[in-house]
Amino acid sequence: MEAGGLPLELWRMILAYLPLPDLGRCSLVCRAWYELILSLDRTRWRQLYLGCIECRHPNWPNQPDVEPASWREAFKQHYLASKTWTKNAPILETSVCFSLFRRRRTRRTLSVGPGHEFHSLGSALAMSSLFDRILLFPGLHEEQGEIILKVPVEIVGHGKLGEVALLASIDQQCSTTRLCNLVFMPAWFSPFMFKTTSGHVQFDNCNFENGHIQVHGPGTCQVKFCTFKNTHVFLHNVPLCVLENCEFVGSENNSVTVEGHPSSEKNWAYTYLLGLIKSSPSVLPAEDSDSVMALDLESRDQAWSPRTCGMVIEGSQSPTSPASSPPKAGAREAEVGSDGERVARTPDSSDGGLSPSSEDEDEDQLTYRLSYQVQGPRPVLGGSFLGPPLPGASIQLPSCLVLNSLQQELQRDREAMALASSVQGCLIRKCLFQDGKGGVFVCSYGRAKMEGNIFRNLTYAVRCIHNSKVVMLRNHIHHCRASGIFLRLEGGGLIAGNNIDHNSEAGIDIRKKSNPLILCNQIHHGLRSGIVVLGNGKGIIRNNQIFSNKEAGIYILYHGNPIVSRNHIFRGHAAGIAVNENGRGLITENVIRENQWGGVDIRRGGVPALRSNLICFGYSDGVVVGDEGKGLIEGNTIYANKGCGVWMMSSSLPHVTSNHVSYNGLYGLAVFSQKDGSGEFPGGHGAQENFSEDGDAILWEPEPEKDDDPLRRPVTVALIESNSVNHNGASGLYVQSSEALHVITNVIHANGDRGITVAQSSQLTRMANNSISCNRQSGVKVEAQCKVELRGNGIYDNRGHGIITKGDSTVVIENDIIGNRGSGLQLLPTSDTKVIKNRIHSFRAYGIAVQGHAKALVQENIIFQGKSNKTIFQQIPSNQECIVQNNKFLVFKKKSDTWRLVNPPARPHLENSLRGPSAAHSGQKVTAMATRITAHVEGGYHSKRSIFCTIL
């Protein structure tokens, strides 16, 4: 700048002494001067703003220590807002004398107080004209009668806030008025300090104590930098009211009540208020930076597909004993366990089981070859969760499970964007509600929007009832004595980007047909559940982070029926999602991890649809289906939980289909018949909960709504279908049931114990078209007094027997039992088994071994000779209960013999049976974007019961 050669720093020092009008004139000299005036933001503009008695710090009361982005812009916004009440141009134009317009510019100032022109506010008002300024000097001004404002005036307290107190009841009947720098207290004859029915009122930098303020539509109000102590603001049918940078303290009831639909009749100030709101900075940033999840990007994709095994079996010189050769380094031979079951001790290969063709490569020349296929784990979630979990390792998430920012969600959802942009009824922005009973109460078709507020130490923050709508953006709600946000009686709206924590009841409570849209919130550290949906409540719960709550992250009961999608629910002290007492809901594409109880817990008539979720790293079971639980569990990845992948009671009727269940500490799938104490749940899952706002228990008996999901199939028998169950610590499937069960078209592979264990089955357990391979012990074991049917299964490469049974009613029909290290089929004493039309081969032992006086019908089977040159069939000669007829025994004759499983091809025949997640659902997934979560995995197993039950 060329101005007498003075440096810029000196010019800034000189200009810092100029008043506001002179700064404005200097900024019009030239661009260089304009930029110089702008550079005074942290000095002169800050002094001007803080020196104004009509305003407080721009971030008061929530962040008074944080400076605004621009002091000049904050001063400009306050100046424009303070002049809204004077923009009543239509009234001025219709005045009888044009000189009234001049009077506005050179309005009078009337002084009230001891030693001044007027001794009372009433006497000053009697002498005032349009837009006069009434100045109240320090002291207590008490009016004995109701004050009626009939002309627009401005009433301002002189001096610091708190020096001027006004005890009055004011009824505004004029078009506009402004009150500033006053302490309001109610008069002795009325609790109402101020009320208006049609005009516009503006409060700036005032305190209100122990009274009421009432605004009726089409009246409007604008309130900024005010403190309300035990004061109730009642807004009835208001088209638009703005409460900004206010503090509400110690209310004995609701601090703000918004009642009734916004009036269609609007006064003159509505347009100006709307423009002022749109011109002010939004609380929504361009991109969210909030994230409590650790993001550690490291890919661990592994490709898995069905593998073709070439099984090479070599000859032996002795016809009665297997060929002997030294074991490979680091390997041990299989040991014989109880009931003659072979227990493998050989370390795992990469797929969890050694191929027989690879363990004796140093033996003599091959003798014959039997070609077949082993169905391995099917890829789910892009193959990211097929490898073993490693402590401290990172896992890649597919794009459908990645949390979006709030801005991204609003851009994708036009309805949500319209709600977020709408301004109707009451706008409450950057306010503080604390130490009282209630925050904001919206009822009877009311409309309210809340942005950037703090609600703390209240009984509740927000209640929305009776067809009302709320829009809540970027609020912080914490330490409420009941629920943070409460919706009932068809309440709705948008709840987005809020931080809701440390509340005594649910963070959000939805009931009685309320249907909000809940997006991108953080709901955490609640003393009970994160979100509760009950009493026919609905809602869309999407893209939230729900964590570290003492009860379920989301709790659905009493016919609650929300859509829960793409949330991250983690580190809860109970279940991730609990559905019981006839709760419903669509639960899809969520990440549910590291919860103390089941990732999803379904009990007592709960009927959710659980689709395409990632349930991982839980400290208990992945999914628990307790007493009378139902629902569809489809297309989920249930991975690396310390308990079972899916734990069910036999009295439940779930449909478990197309899930990938892997690397869980205990069973992949477990079905138990004994009761688990489901009526005595800690944390409220069994105890009668306090879901009443009044503190009394409520008997919820709403009319259940009709099931409108065409993809659900009616299930009359518990159904386990088309799942991939692999690399779990114990059996892939464990059954101890007193009711019927169907196990169909599953892939059960490389589990740490047996493929399937049936310990109890008083009614028929039907297993059809399953692939059971490479498990550490037998493929299938059936205990005594069990009724089991195995049909069309492929049982390959297991390290124990193919099938071992003591059951008194076991039917084995049309299975391929090939390449197992023990006998293909071992029938123990007391068993009663029908073995019909199977293809059986044992790698080292007998094709079929009948122990003791087992009762059996062995008919029309094809039995291949194994490597040991043992007799293909073993039976005690004195056993008259074993009938063997019409079987075909194949013994190798020369080295070039090659046998193949044809006509039919190798079982199971899964091509037309495997079902993926519903096409309508999977079509909604987006592509090619990933992030990762970091989780710590600890080992260790426990007893055969659910970890959930062990806790009880």
Side-chain angles (χ1 to χ4, degrees):
M1 174 184 292
E2 295 294 335
L6 295 179
L8 291 178
E9 291 75 8
L10 187 56
W11 275 112
R12 292 191 181 102
M13 186 179 298
I14 295 172
L15 294 175
Y17 290 93
L18 296 183
L20 179 62
D22 291 339
L23 284 177
R25 295 185 185 100
C26 290
S27 66
L28 298 177
V29 173
C30 63
R31 176 167 293 278
W33 279 74
Y34 174 75
E35 294 176 354
L36 179 61
I37 298 300
L38 292 184
S39 70
L40 302 175
D41 188 82
R42 301 290 178 181
T43 55
R44 184 54 180 161
W45 288 110
R46 184 178 185 273
Q47 292 173 357
L48 288 172
Y49 186 98
L50 296 179
C52 179
I53 65 169
E54 298 181 359
C55 59
R56 308 185 192 185
H57 191 283
N59 290 324
W60 182 88
N62 294 336
Q63 295 177 308
D65 299 328
V66 178
E67 291 198 355
S70 170
W71 286 97
R72 175 183 171 276
E73 184 64 26
F75 189 83
K76 173 185 173 182
Q77 292 294 332
H78 170 72
Y79 180 83
L80 294 176
S82 67
K83 302 301 179 183
T84 302
W85 77 283
T86 63
K87 298 183 180 295
N88 197 4
I91 296 294
L92 299 175
E93 292 173 0
T94 58
S95 299
V96 177
C97 180
F98 187 74
S99 63
L100 293 176
F101 181 77
R102 288 291 180 187
R103 186 175 299 173
R104 178 192 175 195
R105 293 180 177 270
T106 59
R107 57 183 181 168
R108 294 186 301 164
T109 298
L110 308 180
S111 300
V112 178
H116 293 276
E117 183 180 359
F118 299 96
H119 68 279
S120 68
L121 176 60
S123 60
L125 288 171
M127 299 300 297
S128 64
S129 300
L130 292 175
F131 299 100
D132 279 350
R133 180 186 181 95
I134 299 176
L135 193 62
L136 300 183
F137 281 82
L140 179 63
H141 300 264
E142 183 175 5
E143 300 295 327
Q144 298 300 317
E146 186 178 49
I147 294 178
I148 299 177
L149 300 181
K150 295 185 178 180
V151 294
V153 292
E154 181 181 29
I155 304 174
V156 180
H158 184 270
K160 295 181 179 180
L161 179 64
E163 295 179 352
V164 181
L166 178 61
L167 279 70
S169 178
I170 302 175
D171 184 0
Q172 178 188 347
Q173 297 181 3
C174 58
S175 60
T176 181
T177 192
R178 179 174 184 253
L179 301 103
C180 177
N181 207 42
L182 299 169
V183 176
F184 283 88
M185 291 181 283
W188 61 271
F189 54 86
S190 174
F192 288 95
M193 294 179 286
F194 192 94
K195 57 185 177 180
T196 184
T197 56
S198 59
H200 172 73
V201 60
Q202 182 170 335
F203 295 103
D204 289 320
N205 198 37
C206 293
N207 287 354
F208 299 86
E209 299 180 3
N210 303 315
H212 303 294
I213 296 173
Q214 182 173 285
V215 180
H216 279 255
T220 57
C221 72
Q222 181 181 356
V223 186
K224 192 167 185 178
F225 298 121
C226 293
T227 298
F228 298 83
K229 296 180 180 179
N230 192 25
T231 298
H232 181 209
V233 179
F234 183 83
L235 308 174
H236 182 77
N237 293 114
V238 292
L240 187 59
C241 283
V242 180
L243 281 67
E244 192 170 9
N245 294 95
C246 294
E247 181 181 19
F248 296 83
V249 182
S251 174
E252 295 179 356
N253 205 329
N254 313 303
S255 295
V256 179
T257 297
V258 183
E259 181 181 11
H261 194 277
S263 172
S264 58
E265 182 183 356
K266 299 175 177 60
N267 65 13
W268 67 270
Y270 177 84
T271 303
Y272 293 98
L273 282 178
L274 197 60
L276 185 67
I277 292 169
K278 293 182 178 179
S279 66
S280 60
S282 172
V283 299
L284 293 178
E287 288 292 336
D288 286 346
S289 59
D290 297 338
S291 180
V292 297
M293 304 189 66
L295 301 179
D296 181 15
L297 305 182
E298 178 186 346
S299 179
R300 277 201 309 114
D301 290 347
Q302 296 185 11
W304 285 77
S305 60
R307 62 184 180 91
T308 301
C309 299
M311 178 175 145
V312 179
I313 305 179
E314 302 181 7
S316 169
Q317 301 302 320
S318 171
T320 59
S321 62
S324 60
S325 64
K328 296 174 66 176
R332 300 180 186 174
E333 285 297 330
E335 299 176 1
V336 178
S338 60
D339 301 323
E341 185 172 6
R342 300 174 66 86
V343 182
R345 300 298 184 189
T346 308
D348 288 349
S349 65
S350 60
D351 64 354
L354 288 176
S355 171
S357 62
S358 64
E359 71 170 15
D360 288 312
E361 294 176 353
D362 58 344
E363 293 194 6
D364 298 334
Q365 56 188 357
L366 63 86
T367 302
Y368 70 89
R369 184 185 301 272
L370 175 59
S371 296
Y372 59 95
Q373 282 191 336
V374 174
Q375 180 72 32
R378 299 191 299 276
V380 177
L381 294 178
S384 299
F385 296 90
L386 289 172
L390 300 175
S394 300
I395 295 177
Q396 183 175 355
L397 288 179
S399 58
C400 62
L401 299 181
V402 175
L403 288 177
N404 295 325
S405 68
L406 177 55
Q407 191 64 28
Q408 289 171 329
E409 281 294 313
L410 295 179
Q411 290 173 353
R412 292 177 53 184
D413 191 331
R414 293 185 178 180
E415 179 185 357
M417 178 63 81
L419 285 171
S421 303
S422 65
V423 179
Q424 194 178 23
C426 178
L427 171 62
I428 304 172
R429 183 161 55 184
K430 300 179 184 177
C431 294
L432 172 62
F433 296 80
Q434 65 178 347
D435 302 327
K437 180 179 180 181
V440 179
F441 179 45
V442 188
C443 61
S444 302
Y445 296 89
R447 300 290 186 270
K449 183 175 184 178
M450 287 156 266
E451 295 182 354
N453 305 287
I454 294 178
F455 300 83
R456 68 187 181 203
N457 299 323
L458 304 167
T459 300
Y460 62 86
V462 177
R463 293 178 66 198
C464 177
I465 68 172
H466 292 299
N467 299 96
S468 299
K469 297 286 187 293
V470 293
V471 176
M472 301 189 65
L473 303 174
R474 293 282 180 185
N475 302 282
H476 187 191
I477 301 170
H478 62 101
H479 292 95
C480 292
R481 293 182 290 277
S483 297
I485 302 172
F486 189 86
L487 300 103
R488 62 180 297 199
L489 297 173
E490 301 186 53
L494 172 66
I495 301 171
N498 302 282
N499 188 10
I500 305 171
D501 63 281
H502 293 93
N503 298 290
S504 298
E505 299 288 338
I508 302 176
D509 188 315
I510 306 168
R511 58 179 86 185
K512 289 191 176 180
K513 299 185 179 180
S514 295
N515 190 18
L517 176 58
I518 301 173
L519 292 179
C520 301
N521 302 280
Q522 290 188 6
I523 305 171
H524 57 101
H525 291 95
L527 300 184
R528 301 196 72 173
S529 297
I531 299 177
V532 170
V533 186
L534 67 155
N536 275 338
K538 299 180 181 178
I540 297 174
I541 303 169
R542 188 170 74 231
N543 215 77
N544 301 280
Q545 296 183 39
I546 304 172
F547 59 97
S548 299
N549 296 287
K550 285 195 175 180
E551 294 186 7
I554 299 177
Y555 197 4
I556 306 170
L557 66 166
Y558 299 117
H559 302 286
N561 192 16
I563 298 174
V564 182
S565 65
R566 298 210 307 272
N567 302 280
H568 285 199
I569 305 170
F570 56 100
R571 296 175 190 162
H573 297 283
I577 299 176
V579 186
N580 62 32
E581 302 295 351
N582 300 306
R584 303 183 55 182
L586 173 61
I587 301 168
T588 178
E589 294 183 350
N590 302 280
V591 176
I592 305 170
R593 64 181 178 93
E594 297 177 82
N595 295 286
Q596 294 292 333
W597 292 5
V600 178
D601 192 296
I602 306 168
R603 297 175 185 269
R604 293 195 293 242
V607 195
L610 190 68
R611 291 194 180 112
S612 302
N613 301 279
L614 170 59
I615 305 170
C616 61
F617 302 114
Y619 296 100
S620 180
D621 307 309
V623 178
V624 175
V625 186
D627 190 19
E628 299 181 5
K630 301 178 183 178
L632 173 64
I633 303 171
E634 178 183 20
N636 304 282
T637 297
I638 304 171
Y639 176 82
N641 299 283
K642 286 192 174 181
C644 304
V646 180
W647 186 94
M648 315 181 262
M649 288 186 62
S650 61
S651 58
S652 62
L653 290 175
H655 181 186
V656 183
T657 178
S658 305
N659 301 283
H660 187 91
V661 185
S662 62
Y663 292 100
N664 297 285
L666 295 180
Y667 309 110
L669 305 167
V671 182
F672 286 91
S673 62
Q674 68 265 28
K675 301 297 182 181
D676 62 343
S678 59
E680 300 177 359
F681 299 120
H685 285 290
Q688 189 172 20
E689 299 222 21
N690 176 17
F691 290 114
S692 167
E693 58 192 354
D694 300 322
D696 297 325
I698 292 180
L699 296 178
W700 292 90
E701 295 182 354
E703 289 294 331
E705 297 188 351
K706 183 179 179 181
D707 188 353
D708 55 358
D709 188 349
L711 299 176
R712 294 189 193 230
R713 290 193 286 169
V715 176
T716 57
V717 176
L719 178 60
I720 300 173
E721 176 187 18
S722 302
N723 302 282
S724 179
V725 184
N726 63 88
H727 297 91
N728 297 286
S731 296
L733 171 62
Y734 185 91
V735 180
Q736 185 178 318
S737 172
S738 58
E739 299 182 15
L741 174 67
H742 289 179
V743 183
I744 301 173
T745 65
N746 300 281
V747 175
I748 302 174
H749 175 82
N751 294 284
D753 197 67
R754 306 174 190 94
I756 298 177
T757 300
V758 183
Q760 176 186 336
S761 179
S762 56
Q763 296 193 38
L764 180 64
T765 295
R766 180 172 177 263
M767 304 177 192
N769 295 323
N770 301 283
S771 175
I772 305 168
S773 63
C774 300
N775 296 286
R776 191 176 292 272
Q777 294 190 23
S778 299
V780 178
K781 182 176 182 181
V782 181
E783 295 287 357
Q785 299 180 348
C786 292
K787 298 180 179 179
V788 177
E789 176 186 314
L790 293 104
R791 183 187 297 266
N793 302 284
I795 304 173
Y796 302 106
D797 285 3
N798 297 285
R799 297 188 186 178
H801 305 294
I803 299 174
I804 179 171
T805 178
K806 293 190 289 186
D808 58 4
S809 180
T810 305
V811 179
V812 183
I813 301 178
E814 297 179 349
N815 301 280
D816 287 344
I817 308 171
I818 305 294
N820 302 284
R821 296 193 188 176
S823 299
L825 182 63
Q826 186 169 50
L827 312 181
L828 299 178
T830 73
S831 64
D832 185 353
T833 310
K834 294 180 180 179
V835 185
I836 303 172
K837 296 184 178 179
N838 301 280
R839 294 181 293 195
I840 303 172
H841 166 267
S842 172
F843 188 62
R844 287 196 181 94
Y846 296 97
I848 300 178
V850 182
Q851 302 289 330
H853 292 277
K855 183 178 180 180
L857 171 62
V858 182
Q859 179 178 323
E860 300 182 27
N861 301 282
I862 300 175
I863 305 176
F864 301 89
Q865 181 182 5
K867 171 182 175 180
S868 65
N869 284 341
K870 286 185 177 180
T871 307
I872 294 176
F873 184 85
Q874 182 190 40
Q875 177 186 6
I876 296 177
S878 62
N879 185 359
Q880 302 299 320
E881 299 292 328
C882 181
I883 302 173
V884 181
Q885 58 187 19
N886 299 329
N887 297 284
K888 184 177 181 180
F889 300 94
L890 298 181
V891 180
F892 68 87
K893 296 180 180 178
K894 56 184 178 180
K895 297 178 182 180
S896 60
D897 282 349
T898 300
W899 296 331
R900 298 183 181 276
L901 300 180
V902 294
N903 297 323
R907 300 182 179 94
H909 303 151
L910 303 178
E911 290 77 8
N912 298 323
S913 301
L914 293 178
R915 306 189 321 131
S918 305
H921 178 66
S922 61
Q924 300 172 0
K925 296 183 180 179
V926 296
T927 59
M929 178 179 179
T931 187
R932 296 171 197 156
I933 60 176
T934 298
H936 298 284
V937 183
E938 298 178 4
Y941 304 151
H942 57 78
S943 65
K944 293 184 179 180
R945 298 198 50 163
S946 164
I947 291 182
F948 184 85
C949 301
T950 304
I951 294 173
L952 297 177

